Structures are given as C-alpha cells and as structure tokens.
C-alpha cells in the first residue's frame, strides 16, 4: 500500500490530468484536496476529450473511490452538471464511488458576483482570477462565515447562515460595487434543490479515506493549480486562494503526513502561465508563439491564451524543496520538437547575486531579474511514438537527463503526446 501526492511544479496546467489518470489505474482511492472549479483537467481517452473541473479524473476508471476533500470549495451547480455529463456519456456508473466532504465549503452566488466585481473595479491591479468565486469562498472560510456541505443539507442552518451572509454581501454588492442585490428566497430554493441531489454523496470523507488506507489500497491525492500559485509560496498576490503544495494534501483530506509515501511533481517541458504576475522566462517571439500553438496552450477553464516561455528550473527546484517531491513527471516533451536550440533557465541573476533554487518573495525584485540560460541542442525527429527512454532522440534524452540533474530528483514518467499511451513510464510512484 502506498499513498502518493501529485502536484503541479509550475503555475498549473502542467498536464496533471493525464498523469493522474494514468496513476489512477494503480490507485483505488483518488482524492482532490484543494481548489474548486478554477481548475480543469483535460483528459483524452480513446481519442475523446473530457474536461473535469471538480471530480477527480479517477472517476473515469471503474470501481475507484473518488473524494472531494474538505480543503475544496465547491459550486454545487457545476458539480451536478459534471455528474450529469459524465452519466450521459456513461463514464460514471456507480454513485457509491463518489464522496463529498461535509466540511468542504460551498461557493455561493454572492462569491461569484464579488469575484467579478472586484476584478472589474481594480482594473490594472487585478489578479486575473477565473471569476468563479473561489477566492471569496475561501475568504468566508477564514472569516468563519462560510457555508459548508453539512450546512447545505440542513435546511434550518442553511436558511439562517444564508440570511446572515446576504445582509453583509448585499450591502457590499449594492453600496460598494453599485450592483444588484441577491434574493435570499431565490438562492435558498435553488440551493435546496442542489442539496437534495448531493445529499447521498456528502459524508465525513476523512473516515472513508482512512478505511481505504487501512484496507491496504493505493491512494492518490490530486492537487490542482501549481506550486507557484500557492497562497503562501506562489508569486503573491498573483496566486490562487488555497495552498497548492503537498503539505496541504493532508490538511485538505484529513489524513496525517505519516501516511504519505511519495510526492510526484508534474513539470511541463517548458513553462506557461495564465493571467497576471511575473514570469522570468516568458517568450515574446516566434518560439513562444510556436509553443503556444503546438502545445495548444489555452486554459481548460477559461479558454484564455497562456503565456509561454522556457523551462525554469529555479522554480522547479523551489517546488522540489517546498513539497518534498520524490520524482518528476515531465509532460509535453513533444511540443519542443523542431525548436533549436532549446534553453533551460538555471538561475536568476539579480543585483549582483545569482539564485539557483530561490524564487524571491518580493515581486518588485522581478523587474531586475535576468534569467541565466543553458543552451541545449534541439531535435527535429518526432518523438510521439517513443515508449521507452531508448526510443527518444539523443537530444531529447539529454534534455531529460539535464532536467533530472538540475532538479535533484528522478524523472518517473515522460509524456510525449496527449493520449494515455503516449507515455514513457520509468518507475511507478507506488512501488
Ligand atoms: P492540467 O490541468 O494540469 O491537466 O493541464 P491542462 O488542462 O493544460 O491539460 C494539458 C493539455 O495538454 C491537455 O489538452 C492534454 O490532453 C494535453 N497533454 C497532456 N500531456 C501532453 C503531452 O505530453 N503532449 C501533448 N502534445 N499534449 C499533452
């Protein structure tokens, strides 16, 4: 039995969906521990694309237990739409395989309104959130006024907490943002319908996880976004509202750190970022455009074009440290085919100093940072059909070896295309 955490080592969108889907074959328990429908995992199964925003991608495998952990913030409407769509496509047959934590927070209509209103009001100061109400829902959690799944299914408590919240939220919406207020009855009726449908899935998921672990099953703890969007360690304030590093897998699922056996960091062969914030290796030339087009770098949730740049190993090394990453999964190596030379950022030069494993917390320093690059020879032969390391071109192999050496941890998996089979598996994180 082994429990493995999978997290993004960059700014999210590293291709976690595909890797989690592959690892889910070995695990019997798949848990999401933070975030909400600001994440989107794109999976290609049998040539068919499925995008999941809330439900762990393990649901696509029969007989797996999938958990939405207490660290998540959940929009019930979006979750039900996802359940319905999966059912329509015959991808989710057994309701008893899905569990929602009674402690997970509920995203309410006022969270979404406030999120959008703030981004509009602050213009150039905006964070570039996905506008799904994630941040405001986490704010309410910290302010201890949030509504949890357990409240949603208790009519009396739900009505009372909703009323209390709307008094304040409607004041903010109407008086500060100049918007329309939200009707208590309309929200109550709508959310009561959601509550009835979600009730069978809502439970104490920490206990479910413990039972599975005690029965010797492999567990997979799936993070959303990436390390550098972490609320503490990301490029604050251009970060997400939750902790994305491995430590939060325990807090957000209700298990102890002593139960964890390994941490896989997903690292795209180059870097991308959605929204605002510093990006040291960003490319503004035709190479950046080529990566964006070949890599289809559009957000799964928002459809926004992603900013693209060279692989930044300073970031990745910091991720290895913060999450205790034990192995990397490198994705989208095929996207670099035809680019020559290829650069890897191995340091940040800043005010006479060079950092090799430290991303400054003071954003004002970023304007003076010069990336230190190493140049590697590119390759032109396609690598999509490679299924073992020996099938790769010598240059692409060298790229992986260099990455491994710089990160200081082994590469467990190399993804060379979007399909499940387009993968070189070097070692299982569960063994
Ligand atoms: P996630 O949220 O971390 O899963 O990342 P994305 O939503 O950006 O998903 C990654 C996208 O890249 C999806 O469309 C995948 O099908 C695709 N993808 C994943 N791995 C590879 C790969 O190795 N090569 C290519 N070309 N595409 C990939």
């Amino acid at each position: 039995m082994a429990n493995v955490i999978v997290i993004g080592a960059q700014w999210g969108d590293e291709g976690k969906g595909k890797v989690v889907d592959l690892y889910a074959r070995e695990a019997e328990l798949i848990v999401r521990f933070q975030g909400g429908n600001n994440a989107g995992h794109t999976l290609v199964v049998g040539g068919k694309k499925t995008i999941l925003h809330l439900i762990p991608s393990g649901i696509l495998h029969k007989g797996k237990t999938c958990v939405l952990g207490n660290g998540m913030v959940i929009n019930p409407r979006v979750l039900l739409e996802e359940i319905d769509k999966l059912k329509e496509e015959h991808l989710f047959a057994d309701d008893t395989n899905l569990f929602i934590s009674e402690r997970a927070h509920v995203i309410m209509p006022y969270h979404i309104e406030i999120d959008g209103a703030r981004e509009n009001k602050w213009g150039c100061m905006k964070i570039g959130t996905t506008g799904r109400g994630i941040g405001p829902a986490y704010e309410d959690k910290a302010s201890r006024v949030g509504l949890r799944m357990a409240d949603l299914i208790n009519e009396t408590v739900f009505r009372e907490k909703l009323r209390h919240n709307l008094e304040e939220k409607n004041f903010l919406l109407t008086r500060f943002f100049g918007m329309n207020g939200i009707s208590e009855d309309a929200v109550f009726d709508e959310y009561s319908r959601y509550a009835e449908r979600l009730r069978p899935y809502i439970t104490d998921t920490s206990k479910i996880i413990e039972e599975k672990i005690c029965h010797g099953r492999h567990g997979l703890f799936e993070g959303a976004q990436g390390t550098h969007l972490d609320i503490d360690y990301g490029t604050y304030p251009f970060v997400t509202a939750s902790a994305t590093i491995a430590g939060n897998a325990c807090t957000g699922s209700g298990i102890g750190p002593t139960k964890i056996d390994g941490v896989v960091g997903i690292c795209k062969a180059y870097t991308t970022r959605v929204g605002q914030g510093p990006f040291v290796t960003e490319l503004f030339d035709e190479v950046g455009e080529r990566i964006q087009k070949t890599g289809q770098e559009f957000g799964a949730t928002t459809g926004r074009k992603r900013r693209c740049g060279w692989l930044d190993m300073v970031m990745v090394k910091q991720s290895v440290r913060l999450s205790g990453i034990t192995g990397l999964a490198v994705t989208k190596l095929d996207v670099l085919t035809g680019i020559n030379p290829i650069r890897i950022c191995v340091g940040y030069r800043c005010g006479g100093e060079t950092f090799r494993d430290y991303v400054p917390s003071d954003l004002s320093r970023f304007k003076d940072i010069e990336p230190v690059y190493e140049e590697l020879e590119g390759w032109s032969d396609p690598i999509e059909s490679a299924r073992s390391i020996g099938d790769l071109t010598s240059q692409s192999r060298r790229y992986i070896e260099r990455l491994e050496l710089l990160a200081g941890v082994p590469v467990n998996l190399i993804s060379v295309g979007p399909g499940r089979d387009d993968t070189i598996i070097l070692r299982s994180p569960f063994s």
Side-chain angles (χ1 to χ4, degrees):
M1 180 271 285
N3 292 305
V4 172
I5 300 169
V6 176
I7 47 130
Q10 294 155 318
W11 277 302
D13 311 316
E14 296 95 347
K16 286 184 297 300
K18 173 181 161 172
V19 178
V20 168
D21 176 56
L22 281 170
Y23 288 160
R25 287 192 289 204
E26 288 180 74
E28 280 187 49
L29 165 74
I30 300 105
V31 184
R32 247 197 82 181
F33 56 85
Q34 45 79 224
N37 60 313
N38 50 344
H41 286 333
T42 317
L43 297 138
V44 181
V45 184
K48 201 160 173 262
K49 217 180 199 186
T50 305
I51 300 181
L52 295 173
H53 296 286
L54 288 164
I55 301 179
S57 25
I59 204 78
L60 303 185
H61 299 263
K62 282 204 173 63
K64 311 282 176 180
T65 301
C66 290
V67 173
L68 305 189
N70 57 276
M72 290 187 73
V73 287
I74 299 171
N75 180 327
R77 181 184 54 75
V78 175
L79 177 57
L80 284 163
E81 277 171 13
E82 209 162 289
I83 291 174
D84 289 343
K85 189 147 191 292
L86 286 169
K87 287 195 167 185
E88 232 173 75
E89 293 174 3
H90 308 290
L91 293 170
F92 173 34
D94 190 351
D95 283 310
T96 61
N97 285 336
L98 183 67
F99 298 92
I100 303 166
S101 169
E102 56 195 12
R103 291 181 171 83
H105 278 248
V106 182
I107 296 182
M108 301 296 295
Y110 44 82
H111 293 137
I112 300 168
E113 294 288 310
I114 291 170
D115 202 354
R118 274 206 197 121
E119 289 287 282
N120 285 336
K121 190 169 176 85
W122 301 121
C124 62
M125 288 279 288
K126 67 182 182 185
I127 303 293
T129 78
T130 54
R132 307 284 152 98
I134 313 291
Y138 276 116
E139 280 171 39
D140 279 0
K141 175 178 177 173
S143 303
R144 288 145 297 168
V145 295
L147 281 139
R148 308 205 289 183
M149 283 292 168
D151 304 325
L152 181 69
I153 55 172
N154 180 330
E155 210 173 291
T156 319
V157 175
F158 183 63
R159 176 66 97 170
E160 198 179 304
K161 288 196 171 187
L162 176 65
R163 181 169 302 143
H164 172 80
N165 266 286
L166 277 178
E167 246 180 72
E168 192 178 317
K169 266 51 173 206
N170 274 339
F171 179 84
L172 188 67
L173 283 171
T174 55
R175 306 284 287 273
F176 185 70
F177 290 116
M179 296 169 66
N180 291 328
I182 289 175
S183 147
E184 181 190 316
D185 285 341
V187 175
F188 183 77
D189 291 346
E190 183 189 347
Y191 274 62
S192 297
R193 285 196 300 275
Y194 300 150
E196 279 329 296
R197 287 199 57 202
L198 290 176
R199 186 185 297 279
Y201 305 106
I202 298 171
T203 186
D204 184 342
T205 47
S206 167
K207 285 182 72 63
I208 304 281
I209 296 170
E210 187 192 34
E211 275 162 30
K212 293 283 166 191
I213 290 175
C214 287
H215 282 94
R217 309 285 156 81
H218 288 328
L220 189 62
F221 295 81
E222 168 186 353
Q225 292 91 31
T227 302
H228 295 270
L229 290 175
D230 181 88
I231 183 93
D232 283 294
Y233 281 97
T235 42
Y236 192 90
F238 303 105
V239 293
T240 195
S242 60
T244 58
I245 60 176
N248 193 33
C250 294
T251 318
S253 337
I255 61 159
T258 48
K259 297 283 192 290
I260 301 298
D261 302 284
V263 181
V264 177
I266 317 285
C267 171
K268 195 142 64 177
Y270 47 92
T271 313
T272 60
R273 167 161 215 170
V274 180
Q276 323 290 310
F279 185 168
V280 173
T281 63
E282 184 165 11
L283 286 163
F284 299 96
D285 58 6
E286 62 281 5
V287 178
E289 257 171 55
R290 184 191 170 121
I291 292 176
Q292 199 273 325
K293 284 209 181 82
T294 319
Q296 290 284 301
E297 295 298 347
F298 294 96
T301 302
T302 58
R304 286 186 285 189
K305 234 183 194 182
R306 294 174 183 150
R307 299 154 66 191
C308 297
W310 297 117
L311 177 61
D312 182 341
M313 287 309 291
V314 181
M315 282 175 66
V316 175
K317 279 180 91 160
Q318 171 135 320
S319 304
V320 169
R321 184 177 75 247
L322 295 174
S323 284
I325 290 173
T326 49
L328 290 174
V330 180
T331 60
K332 295 194 144 183
L333 188 62
D334 54 301
V335 174
L336 296 183
T337 303
I339 299 174
N340 196 17
I342 296 174
R343 291 173 149 189
I344 301 183
C345 174
V346 295
Y348 290 173
R349 201 171 290 125
C350 177
E353 278 180 280
T354 301
F355 305 121
R356 297 196 182 272
D357 61 358
Y358 168 68
V359 179
S361 51
D362 175 1
L363 289 205
S364 67
R365 296 184 75 177
F366 276 88
K367 62 182 189 316
D368 302 319
I369 288 179
E370 286 283 326
V372 180
Y373 284 119
E374 253 179 40
E375 235 169 57
L376 274 83
E377 194 188 338
W379 58 92
S380 51
D381 291 338
I383 56 167
E384 283 88 340
S385 57
R387 296 295 175 265
S388 74
I389 193 92
D391 297 338
L392 286 177
T393 58
S394 56
Q395 298 90 339
S396 55
R397 216 165 36 236
R398 212 163 301 128
Y399 189 73
I400 294 291
E401 283 161 8
R402 190 67 195 125
L403 198 158
E404 207 164 37
L405 203 74
L406 287 165
V409 290
V411 169
N412 286 344
L413 178 155
I414 305 163
S415 174
V416 290
R420 269 182 184 165
D421 297 334
D422 307 329
T423 314
I424 301 169
I425 296 179
L426 299 165
R427 58 187 72 75
S428 162
F430 296 103
S431 54

